[in-house]
Amino acid sequence: MRHCTWIFRVCAIAAGFSAIAFSLPAQNACYWVWQRDEPLDDRELAELTAQNVDTIYWHVGELENIGTTWRWKARFSFPTSGTERIRFVPVVRLVSRERQSFSDASTTALVASLSSVTAKHRELQLDCDTPDRLLEDYAAALKRIHGLVPRLSLAALPHWGRADHLKVLEPAVDEFLPMLYDFEAEPVLKNQRPLPLLSPEKITKLIDTWRACGKPWRAGLPVFARLSVYAANQKLRGQIRNWNWDELCFNRNLQVADHGEFGTTILRANKPTFVANTTINSDEKLIVREVDRAALQNAIAAAS
């Protein structure tokens, strides 16, 4: 599915031995679609059908917490076509820099904001990088939000598979989708080598941790490619969006500097150039991160 991997992140079905039994195949796959307004086209729907994909978690917007209020920072159109073949579930990203994001007043405002999404749906997924100190407050808010829909799932941080965190969160939701990638706070060059999107050693340990989960869970695995820019001083400038492979492969001002592990490549600019309207200065580096196929297959097998 290379032509559209930029919009998808895969979630391979996974269930701990104590989890509720699934009626789906052991390696059934679903996808996240993030920050996209246009519906899936016929070619994409055909590809998904060929993969037996029956569920897509579709990002419909981002809510930002300011004080005790929540406002929509971004909204995206929810699909109306292709719904007869695929189940679409709305996903809302929650962002907060407040010290008490889930106070009683703040949670009341959050429930009110989410009601516009849940009014037409029976299922909702939330994505929030809640700090550990607020997990109990988050769980309390989730219980109130669950009152809006019969089914609530959670895009979870990798370390929430720990027993103490699951004890707090499990009673509040029906399903977990831990995002088992981007373990570091930000991509960094480590000993001149970039960190891969999917590290086999780390992913195996995380999946083993999640086996103790008492609710259904799916392992969230990356199938996209990421492009990051590093300045000449090795510090991260940021990530480039909406780029394409031709801009890299046929750019004479970029040369391969090194190949990292598990699908990572370092490109160096020998002259100033552009990628997706982003200026790349001489001696700056582009870090291309693809997912190593063997590492991905092993992770899916371990999760299944």
Side-chain angles (χ1 to χ4, degrees), residues 76-219:
F76 302 97
S77 300
F78 194 75
T80 56
S81 60
T83 54
E84 65 281 356
R85 287 180 284 175
I86 297 175
R87 180 174 66 103
F88 289 88
V89 177
V91 182
V92 177
R93 168 78 173 160
L94 305 180
V95 177
S96 175
R97 295 176 180 83
E98 300 292 335
R99 184 159 183 80
Q100 298 296 331
S101 309
F102 303 106
S103 65
D104 185 67
S106 180
T107 299
T108 298
L110 176 58
V111 171
S113 296
L114 289 172
S115 62
S116 63
V117 176
T118 60
K120 298 180 180 180
H121 302 282
R122 296 180 56 80
E123 186 171 354
L124 175 68
Q125 184 176 119
L126 295 177
D127 176 14
C128 184
D129 299 338
T130 306
D132 292 355
R133 65 178 179 84
L134 293 180
L135 275 186
E136 290 191 3
D137 293 342
Y138 186 36
L142 291 171
K143 289 179 180 179
R144 292 179 60 181
I145 294 168
H146 206 327
L148 296 172
V149 284
R151 184 172 179 81
L152 180 65
S153 61
L154 202 62
L157 295 179
H159 72 281
W160 287 356
R162 286 170 30 185
D164 54 336
H165 294 334
L166 288 175
K167 182 179 179 180
V168 173
L169 294 170
E170 278 185 358
V173 298
D174 301 295
E175 185 178 34
F176 292 94
L177 287 85
M179 298 173 286
L180 305 182
Y181 52 90
D182 286 349
F183 311 116
E184 310 295 333
E186 64 178 25
V188 295
L189 285 180
K190 184 178 181 181
N191 298 324
Q192 305 299 313
R193 290 292 181 93
L195 297 172
L197 281 175
L198 194 62
S199 168
E201 182 180 356
K202 291 183 178 180
I203 198 72
T204 299
K205 291 180 179 178
L206 288 169
I207 289 174
D208 284 343
T209 300
W210 276 91
R211 294 189 195 282
C213 183
K215 288 286 181 73
W217 64 279
R218 303 170 187 250

Side-chain angles (χ1 to χ4, degrees), residues 222-240:
V223 294
F224 53 82
R226 176 167 288 166
L227 187 62
S228 306
V229 185
Y230 283 83
N233 62 3
Q234 307 298 312
K235 291 186 178 180
L236 178 70
R237 277 182 50 192
Q239 297 173 13
I240 298 179

